[in-house]
Amino acid sequence: MNIFKKTNLLMVSALLTATLVACGEDENGIDPNATTEAEDDYKYVGQAVGNFKAEEWYPGGALGTTENTTASCYEDETEAIANADLLNAFKRGEMLFEHDFTETSTASFGGLGPAYVRSSCIHCHPGYGHGKRVDSYQADQRGNGYLLVVYHPADGVNSDDGPYISEVTGMPQTKAVSPFLPPIDESGIHLSWLPITEMESGLPLQFPDGERYELIYPELSIDIDAFNTDPKPSNLAFRLESTIGLYGTGLLDAIPEDSLKAQYQREAPYVELNPAFWDKAANDWASGAWYTLADGTKRIKRFTYAMTRASLQDGAGANAMWNIPNVSRSDRHFLYTTTAWATAMSKNPDVIAAIKKDPTSPYYHDGTDEGITEAVKTLLDPKTDQFNNPYHNFQPEMTDNNFWQYMVWHRGLAVPRARDLNDATVQHGKQVFNEIGCATCHRPRWQTGSDDYWAPAPILTNNLTLPRYPNQVIYPYTDMLQHRLYMKNGIHGSWCRTTPLWGRGLSLLNTGAEDRLHDCRARNEIEAIMWHAYSKKSDAYASTERFFYLPKKDRDAVVKFLRSI
């Protein structure tokens, strides 16, 4: 649990907390900005206090929690990293996460493009946490963790549901290396934030005691002319999805499938579960719950908002290192592009002319317009095996060892220790949180299994290992299931995995922002909670309605609890 860091933090924490309490408490004595503990409070850490068990101080368990609760805690390695002597690999993986990839092959950071989403991972994960809300879409803006979602609406208008378009990638790219044009030109992306003037459910935008809250939502559109594809798409709808925090994902990967199944069975009698994942009549998995990993192994999906991935090593992190900067590796020997974009670039006279002036370009071929056109089309098309093609013999741009180091880092990020559990207000907040039903979906406690993780070929064939988290009691505050909230301009696909709440109270300290929900529409906890009651169809409406009618003291206690876990 990185206990060696504890002593150096005590005095700083005590001084900072004293300043915050003196300047920031509201009329109920609750400081909404407090993120550290007074030295006197530290003596309670690791002890059972009030309605908290001793283990709840360590939400990542003994192997997955860091004692650090300062502005760097999201970056800490787990105890499992030290136990497996993987610290050097972890630090190297951290470099891969933080550095910008470049077009030229230099050191470990070459291979950017030809089209890409971001030039580095940390662009989307400021301070290793959740992305932040922005007012305009610019991929180069640090902290903008947004991924564009472009799809054909199911109802032909503005439904949350419908298939992704094929003209751009599932994570649409707005950047490209010269001489290519980005699949989507950012100048044609229009983002605005609009206020909710009334709740569809009928709840007022003011609590019964008179305190008001505000809700905003994104309106996103993209000009058809902004698509540099052939053909250009039509009948479009748009949504935003933000990145999530990275810490603790290795622990979620270690939750056994039989525990996931038991959770589905526990909730199935009371709520509607995604029928693509759960066969209610059979009380068992539906076919859509299974994901086929790279070697043919089938596992139950658990990662991403839409729960599209089953293993961290073949999931969000492993995919991002390939499809965000478009850096190839031995198990991903093709580009993350589309045929429509490759076709458009092969027909663009400016692209052909620029390549014709550069005989060193891999797209030059024989130097004729016809030869360059064919090379561009062939090499940019994702259907082409980039390592075995008639125009150029590409080599993997990321080594197997670098990919392993990156996954050691990703699987090795610790969860920060809980704070202020000895505080009577925090204890009351936990009680209210449970009483109104929030813990039904934000399930507090899980236990990992033996953690026989799945590993892809670059790791397995090289006899490399990753940190493991066997038999850990953890407190992520998620049921690992999908639910529907029916928000205005909601999430694509309607169904969204319950977001883990652990460590989120330290977001502002670590990332400079504390925006919440899948598209950062909620600027604080109150807004995040009340979005759960925008519609009476929401799976969380009943619990949120109870929250709405709580006295202010109880609402504030819930918020302080959420900031402490």
Side-chain angles (χ1 to χ4, degrees):
M1 290 175 283
N2 295 329
I3 297 175
F4 66 90
K5 298 181 179 181
K6 175 170 63 178
T7 305
N8 293 333
L9 301 175
L10 287 178
M11 188 56 66
V12 174
S13 295
L15 292 173
L16 180 57
T17 300
T19 302
L20 287 171
V21 170
C23 300
E25 288 184 351
D26 63 19
E27 64 270 22
N28 294 311
I30 297 173
D31 172 19
N33 298 310
T35 52
T36 55
E37 300 160 309
E39 187 172 5
D40 288 344
D41 293 336
Y42 201 88
K43 63 186 178 183
Y44 295 103
V45 172
Q47 299 182 28
V49 285
N51 54 0
F52 287 98
K53 297 179 181 178
E55 64 191 24
E56 292 184 69
W57 287 98
Y58 305 104
L63 292 178
T65 307
T66 175
E67 284 281 358
N68 183 9
T69 59
T70 71
S72 62
C73 61
Y74 286 178
E75 304 174 27
D76 282 0
E77 72 277 5
T78 63
E79 194 74 8
I81 290 290
N83 291 350
D85 194 24
L86 290 171
L87 185 58
N88 287 338
F90 177 90
K91 291 298 184 182
R92 184 65 183 177
E94 183 176 63
M95 289 177 63
L96 291 163
F97 170 80
E98 292 184 350
H99 277 67
D100 281 298
F101 284 87
T102 61
E103 180 181 358
T104 56
S105 295
T106 56
S108 301
F109 311 113
L112 182 70
Y116 57 97
V117 183
R118 301 287 194 285
S119 59
S120 77
C121 301
I122 202 169
H123 265 90
C124 294
H125 296 273
Y128 292 47
H130 195 286
K132 68 178 183 179
R133 190 177 64 86
V134 298
D135 293 324
S136 62
Y137 186 92
Q138 298 173 336
D140 288 337
Q141 182 179 353
R142 291 266 174 168
N144 168 18
Y146 282 127
L147 300 173
L148 302 173
V149 181
V150 187
Y151 62 102
H152 300 299
D155 61 4
V157 185
N158 196 31
S159 168
D160 287 340
D161 301 315
Y164 288 103
I165 69 171
S166 62
E167 288 81 3
V168 297
T169 56
M171 294 183 178
Q173 300 150 325
T174 63
K175 307 293 289 185
V177 300
S178 179
F180 302 116
L181 304 177
I184 299 178
D185 187 331
E186 289 183 357
S187 66
I189 301 173
H190 309 288
L191 171 62
S192 57
W193 292 93
L194 305 178
I196 289 293
T197 56
E198 60 180 1
M199 300 279 273
E200 186 180 282
S201 64
L203 284 181
L205 292 167
Q206 178 175 299
F207 294 108
D209 53 33
E211 182 180 41
R212 293 188 60 81
Y213 62 93
E214 297 179 351
L215 301 182
I216 58 173
Y217 66 96
E219 190 73 59
L220 179 70
S221 65
I222 303 176
D223 300 334
I224 295 299
D225 288 343
F227 289 87
N228 292 307
T229 61
D230 185 5
K232 292 184 183 293
S234 60
N235 182 29
L236 304 180
F238 311 96
R239 293 290 184 267
L240 288 174
E241 286 186 15
S242 178
T243 51
I244 62 173
L246 297 162
Y247 56 85
T249 45
L251 294 156
L252 299 180
D253 197 44
I255 296 174
E257 287 186 353
D258 58 354
S259 295
L260 296 176
K261 186 173 185 176
Q263 183 66 24
Y264 276 81
Q265 291 174 329
R266 187 177 297 115
E267 293 192 37
Y270 308 105
V271 297
E272 182 183 359
L273 301 180
N274 188 341
F277 280 65
W278 189 253
D279 185 333
K280 194 166 186 176
N283 199 31
D284 204 348
W285 304 115
S287 60
W290 295 97
Y291 179 78
T292 304
L293 296 162
D295 63 357
T297 302
K298 291 186 179 295
R299 294 282 177 90
I300 293 297
K301 298 172 183 175
R302 66 180 72 193
F303 289 110
T304 76
Y305 291 116
M307 287 178 48
T308 55
R309 296 290 183 267
S311 164
L312 189 64
Q313 290 70 245
D314 189 20
N319 284 343
M321 185 46 76
W322 168 63
N323 59 23
I324 296 298
N326 220 341
V327 174
S328 65
R329 58 178 191 256
S330 64
D331 66 331
R332 300 287 175 92
H333 50 85
F334 51 90
L335 294 173
Y336 186 61
T337 54
T338 66
T339 299
W341 180 67
T343 301
M345 294 303 97
S346 71
K347 294 180 178 180
N348 188 291
D350 293 334
V351 169
I352 304 305
I355 294 172
K356 196 169 187 176
K357 294 177 182 178
D358 181 13
T360 66
S361 170
Y363 308 93
Y364 185 78
H365 188 42
D366 60 4
T368 66
D369 288 359
E370 294 78 11
I372 293 172
T373 295
E374 186 60 26
V376 169
K377 176 66 172 68
T378 301
L379 293 176
L380 294 187
D381 197 315
K383 298 176 183 176
T384 301
D385 186 326
Q386 299 300 315
F387 298 168
N388 297 284
N389 63 76
Y391 297 101
H392 189 79
N393 185 23
F394 284 115
Q395 297 299 315
E397 294 159 331
M398 172 174 278
T399 67
D400 287 355
N401 199 55
N402 281 164
F403 175 61
W404 163 68
Q405 291 164 336
Y406 175 75
M407 291 312 302
V408 166
W409 168 84
H410 200 323
R411 207 172 203 270
L413 287 170
V415 180
R417 177 180 55 73
R419 289 81 53 209
D420 300 319
L421 303 189
N422 55 294
D423 186 288
T425 302
V426 174
Q427 294 170 12
H428 180 60
K430 177 186 178 182
Q431 177 185 343
V432 176
F433 182 86
N434 291 330
E435 287 176 349
I436 64 177
C438 300
T440 302
C441 297
H442 288 285
R443 170 183 166 176
R445 187 180 188 274
W446 289 84
Q447 182 162 342
T448 65
S450 57
D451 194 12
D452 297 322
Y453 60 77
W454 178 88
I459 294 174
L460 193 63
T461 57
N462 289 289
N463 296 314
L464 300 168
T465 60
L466 298 171
R468 295 177 61 243
Y469 304 97
N471 308 311
Q472 299 295 294
V473 174
I474 62 176
Y475 283 81
Y477 284 85
T478 172
D479 58 3
M480 301 294 287
L481 273 67
Q482 292 176 305
H483 298 282
R484 292 178 295 184
L485 299 185
Y486 294 97
M487 294 183 286
K488 176 74 172 179
N489 285 8
I491 190 167
H492 174 247
S494 295
W495 297 91
C496 184
R497 190 191 72 167
T498 305
T499 300
L501 299 178
W502 55 3
R504 287 303 310 277
L506 294 167
S507 180
L508 181 62
L509 194 64
N510 279 265
T511 73
E514 54 183 346
D515 305 305
R516 294 174 179 253
L517 299 181
H518 71 280
D519 56 9
C520 298
R521 65 176 63 200
R523 295 160 291 187
N524 52 55
E525 290 88 351
I526 293 293
E527 291 184 15
I529 292 168
M530 292 312 301
W531 265 115
H532 287 59
Y534 174 72
S535 169
K536 286 187 176 181
K537 295 184 293 183
S538 166
D539 291 348
Y541 178 77
S543 294
T544 312
E545 185 184 36
R546 296 185 195 108
F547 178 85
F548 177 82
Y549 286 108
L550 290 173
K552 177 175 172 54
K553 182 178 180 180
D554 290 348
R555 297 197 306 271
D556 289 343
V558 171
V559 170
K560 191 168 187 180
F561 162 71
L562 293 173
R563 294 193 173 199
S564 299
I565 57 176

